[in-house]
Amino acid sequence: MNVKKLLISPLFAIAFLSFKPVDKKIIIIDAGHGGNDLGASYDGISEKQIVLAVASNIKKISNSQDHYEIVLTRDSDNSSSLNERTDMINKLNPEMVISLHMNRSAEKESKRKGHEIFTQNSDASKALAGKISKKLGDCNIQEKDLHILRESKAPAVLVELGFLNNKDDRQYLSSEAGQKEVAQKFTEIITEK
């Protein structure tokens, strides 16, 4: 009986250890602004609220899959500096970084609407921007020297989801349905091969 135990124990250990979970790729969603930094605002609606809601929905929708893990730079209405955000990003070495923001132009009500995407000077960043533009609809894609793009070592894009001072964009992106729909599109972008 002791010989049997000696043979079975190593076999059980080998079988148990062979079912090690697969390492997930990390995707970082940066919800811009937060805390005292409202970002753009319009009649009580702020950029920080909209982008946090979209980011949280991306994480919630993605929880049921096994291929990647969504990490948010903030998951509540708190504030962290740009340096703190990029330090976190670079420590985690993610597959990609998507920074979410809202635009606002100078006039009270803008005719300008829709999203814009800013990229790093890298092929991977530009390829990610192309996938986002294809999914959300054609838009302006431009390389820009912004902290989150410049300091992130991973492929990163900054997406302006729409204009807060455009009635259509504001109504859509401040609605729960609009936020969930945009989050679903980002989830589809992330899962594309």
Side-chain angles (χ1 to χ4, degrees), residues 16-28:
F16 181 75
L17 293 173
S18 68
F19 289 104
K20 153 185 149 27
V22 179
D23 290 334
K24 289 184 174 186
K25 294 177 181 175
I26 294 175
I27 311 292
I28 293 190

Side-chain angles (χ1 to χ4, degrees), residues 47-188:
E47 176 178 3
K48 71 172 186 170
Q49 296 166 321
I50 292 172
V51 297
L52 179 59
V54 172
S56 298
N57 277 308
I58 293 169
K59 185 170 177 72
K60 185 189 268 185
I61 293 167
S62 300
N63 271 344
S64 61
Q65 56 70 48
D66 296 323
H67 305 294
Y68 60 90
E69 179 182 351
I70 297 292
V71 175
L72 304 180
T73 56
R74 68 180 181 97
D75 59 5
S76 62
D77 185 20
N78 60 4
S79 165
S80 58
S81 72
L82 290 172
N83 284 332
E84 289 170 330
R85 291 175 194 232
T86 51
D87 285 349
M88 172 189 172
I89 289 165
N90 293 330
K91 281 179 188 156
L92 291 173
N93 191 29
E95 187 83 4
M96 69 178 80
V97 178
I98 300 172
S99 185
L100 302 176
H101 290 266
M102 289 290 296
N103 248 332
R104 179 172 175 130
S105 56
E107 58 272 357
K108 170 83 172 149
E109 224 9 92
S110 176
K111 291 182 182 176
R112 289 182 67 195
K113 64 187 280 186
H115 52 281
E116 293 182 308
I117 306 171
F118 300 108
T119 69
Q120 300 164 310
N121 181 15
S122 76
D123 291 341
S125 174
K126 291 172 184 172
L128 176 56
K131 286 170 67 173
I132 294 169
S133 179
K134 185 176 176 185
K135 182 63 78 174
L136 298 182
D138 288 335
C139 70
N140 176 44
I141 298 175
Q142 178 184 341
E143 188 180 313
K144 201 158 188 180
D145 184 27
L146 300 168
H147 181 92
I148 201 95
L149 301 176
R150 182 180 62 249
E151 300 301 323
S152 296
K153 294 176 183 165
V157 294
L158 187 146
V159 182
E160 298 278 4
L161 297 171
F163 282 81
L164 202 52
N165 63 327
N166 175 278
K167 183 181 176 185
D168 295 337
D169 281 357
R170 182 174 60 254
Q171 286 178 347
Y172 176 66
L173 289 161
S174 64
S175 74
E176 190 176 323
Q179 292 165 358
K180 285 182 178 176
E181 187 175 342
V182 170
Q184 179 61 46
K185 288 179 182 181
F186 275 105
T187 304
E188 291 165 11

